[in-house]
Amino acid sequence: RVGLPIISPRLLSTTHIRHVFGRPIATGPPNRNPTQNEVEAVYQLYAAELRALFDAHAALWLPAAVAQKGLRVVRMGGGDPEFIRSKL
């Protein structure tokens, strides 16, 4: 038998994906054995830049109800969920 495959209409719809790039994060020179404090310092820089990107672009690209919920970052293996804003 030969025929056309059945294609779902969902596969034909378009989805818009937007990318936003932030500033580079200074991590210092390569270090094979960083201390926990060094890792934490880089994480805090990352978290601050992530918050800045979200705050700058959320209202423009997200539905209002989603943007109003804010950004929540959960550190895997880091204990309780951590809200970036409380760390800054």
Side-chain angles (χ1 to χ4, degrees):
R1 292 184 164 186
V2 178
L4 294 175
I6 298 175
I7 298 176
S8 169
R10 284 184 167 181
L11 295 176
L12 300 177
S13 65
T14 59
T15 301
H16 298 283
I17 299 174
R18 293 176 173 80
H19 294 93
V20 178
F21 296 92
R23 296 180 299 192
I25 297 171
T27 59
N31 181 354
R32 288 186 169 271
N33 298 305
T35 66
Q36 186 59 36
N37 288 339
E38 291 170 330
V39 172
E40 184 64 24
V42 172
Y43 171 77
Q44 291 301 323
L45 290 173
Y46 166 76
E49 288 299 321
L50 188 60
R51 166 60 61 197
L53 281 174
F54 183 86
D55 290 344
H57 299 281
L60 181 62
W61 299 114
L62 295 174
V66 174
Q68 288 174 354
K69 290 181 181 180
L71 177 65
R72 177 180 175 199
V73 173
V74 178
R75 291 176 70 171
M76 301 304 289
D80 294 330
E82 185 172 336
F83 292 86
I84 292 177
R85 195 175 295 281
S86 68
K87 291 298 245 179
L88 298 178

